[in-house]
DNA sequence: GAATATTATTGAAATATTTAACAAATTCAG
DNA sequence: CTGAATTTGTTAAATATTTCAATAATATTC
């Protein structure tokens, strides 16, 4: 099925489309146009149409897109038609929050195993998810055929854990640590770096000026105060 | 450097560079090359040099970059030389995890106020952070001069809370809800959508063979990469 | 059923970003 | 002091992504 070349930027928007289509479906809507979709997901309608067109002709001219059909198409495309089990490595604060987050509720994704080093966690069940000793990780990953993991461990052991994950056959890692781990090229890592995100946001609000607002940058000794960003 | 624009992609990498420079500084390193940096942050060295060059000539040919000087430069650039107070809207599971996350430890960012609707939370202090009634939000935001907020509320009230944040003068919102909120264009929103991230990751491991780990998010980035900007 | 309005599809143009290549500057060894 | 080795800064080329514009198909209206 991995035949066509879908741009990565497009791939990243698919879940967004899927989610809104489900919302429309549940609201009883039968059709939707790229313009309407654009409003909800805040992506230019031309981009949406272009994105969809990579998958073939999904809509009807003069009509728009059939909500149910499109939803089902994306469901398959995003593997939402079968359950994906995910491992949680590191059951600390963030890890436990993610357990509670419950991806399952609206998606066919669930955290099915947790791993930690702490004795008081090992052997317990959190939110219905059993927590194993990290030493059993490679075996359990193989046995349970898990191929996606969420990494929420201290930075110091991030690489070591990534190595174990690879050994256990994991093909995708959602990395919440600030460390850029090294893995074989067939393993995919998505970094979610909360501190980075905040810093970038702060940078943007301080140095981005909206041309439409015609605001002048403040005068100070920072060499960057005359930088502008174009949206 | 004057009247040059910093590409958004570059801006998103700045925190990454900054973090590693601090690591090098603490490890006592005095100089670093773009090649060495590249290895750690997993960004092509040409891209790194290109990124730096937007800010002027920060290095020396044949030598590399002075760790301390560069670190200090980025510290200023990223506003790390002064404390940024951030509000947390919604002190649920994820919100509490973020309180514990403690951005402060390694960065000049701290959550200084929390807001919630729950009576048993209002008036309490979590991780040293006072939790206020959401009804006081607009006033408190103004009074405390907070201009960045983290939004971790149920989807149903995401837009309503965003409106309040705007009213309270907030200029940057890190949005953990799956809703794409509508705000005036001078307010910046970074979306961190955990379910999206997982779905995209799953899509990638199923449909892409060739993983080029160099480009991210948000993104994700972004992460959440979908990191993902209200552009 | 013809006329008009909608709206997807598609090729092309415009932007944005990454990568490659190399001259210029500097270090370093001897 | 000289030449070889490094490594940046920068121009240009290559990729990737978004947006535009022309066209074609379908629906809706009268």
């Amino acid at each position: 099925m991995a035949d066509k070349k879908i741009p990565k930027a497009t791939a990243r928007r698919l879940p967004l489309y899927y989610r809104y289509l489900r919302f429309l479906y549940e609201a009883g809507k039968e059709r939707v146009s790229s313009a309407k979709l654009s409003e909800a997901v805040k992506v230019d309608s031309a981009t949406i149409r272009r994105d969809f067109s990579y998958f073939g002709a999904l809509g009807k001219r003069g009509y728009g897109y059939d909500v149910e059909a499109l939803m089902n198409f994306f469901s398959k495309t995003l593997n939402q038609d079968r359950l994906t089990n995910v491992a949680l490595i590191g059951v600390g604060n963030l890890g436990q929050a993610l357990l509670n987050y419950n991806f399952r509720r609206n998606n066919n994704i669930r955290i099915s195993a947790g791993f930690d080093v702490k004795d008081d966690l090992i052997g317990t069940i959190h939110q219905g998810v059993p927590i194993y000793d990290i030493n059993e990780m490679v075996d359990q990953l193989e046995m349970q055929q898990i191929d996606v993991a969420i990494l929420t461990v201290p930075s110091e052991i991030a690489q070591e854990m990534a190595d174990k994950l690879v050994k256990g056959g994991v093909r995708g890692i959602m990395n919440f640590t600030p460390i850029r781990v090294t893995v074989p090229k067939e393993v995919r890592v998505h970094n979610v770096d909360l501190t980075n995100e905040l810093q970038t946001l702060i940078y943007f609000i301080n140095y981005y000026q909206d041309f439409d607002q015609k605001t002048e940058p403040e005068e100070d000794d920072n060499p960057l105060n005359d930088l502008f960003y174009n949206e």
Side-chain angles (χ1 to χ4, degrees), chain A residues 139-151:
Chain A
D139 289 345
Q140 284 291 339
L141 290 172
E142 279 171 356
M143 190 147 63
Q144 300 190 31
Q145 303 235 54
I146 292 173
D147 47 23
V148 176
I150 298 173
L151 194 57

Side-chain angles (χ1 to χ4, degrees), chain A residues 21 25 29-31 65-74:
Chain A
L21 285 166
Y25 178 71
K29 299 283 184 193
E30 292 185 356
R31 54 185 275 194
Y65 300 91
D66 182 274
V67 168
E68 187 173 1
L70 196 56
M71 177 186 74
N72 288 334
F73 176 79
F74 281 125

Side-chain angles (χ1 to χ4, degrees), chain A residues 5 14 16 25 32 39-40 65 78 88-89 96 104 131 133 137 149-150 159 179 187-189 219 221:
Chain A
K5 181 79 195 313
L14 299 183
L16 206 55
Y25 178 71
V32 66
E39 223 174 278
Y65 300 91
L78 291 170
L88 177 71
I89 322 303
Q96 292 193 25
R104 186 83 197 269
I131 314 299
D133 189 324
M137 198 162 91
I150 298 173
Q159 182 61 58
I179 303 301
V187 175
R188 177 103 203 162
V189 179
E219 195 59 52
D221 62 354

Side-chain angles (χ1 to χ4, degrees), chain A residues 216-222 225:
Chain A
E216 288 299 322
E218 282 170 27
E219 195 59 52
D220 66 11
D221 62 354
N222 192 314
N225 70 354

Side-chain angles (χ1 to χ4, degrees), chain A residues 47-115:
Chain A
T47 301
I48 292 179
R49 292 197 299 277
R50 165 64 82 232
D51 282 349
F52 288 3
S53 78
Y54 287 115
F55 297 95
L58 302 178
K60 271 198 234 174
R61 295 167 192 232
Y63 177 88
Y65 300 91
D66 182 274
V67 168
E68 187 173 1
L70 196 56
M71 177 186 74
N72 288 334
F73 176 79
F74 281 125
S75 171
K76 279 208 195 67
T77 301
L78 291 170
N79 285 267
Q80 286 292 302
D81 53 343
R82 57 190 178 78
L83 181 63
T84 300
N85 290 314
V86 172
L88 177 71
I89 322 303
V91 191
N93 281 315
L94 188 55
Q96 292 193 25
L98 293 176
L99 279 177
N100 281 293
Y101 193 81
N102 200 352
F103 296 97
R104 186 83 197 269
R105 202 169 89 218
N106 296 303
N107 296 279
N108 231 340
I109 298 173
R110 74 158 179 204
I111 296 175
S112 59
F115 296 92

Side-chain angles (χ1 to χ4, degrees), chain A residues 182-195:
Chain A
T182 301
V183 295
K185 65 176 182 317
E186 66 272 16
V187 175
R188 177 103 203 162
V189 179
H190 279 207
N191 297 301
V192 180
D193 191 325
L194 301 177
T195 303

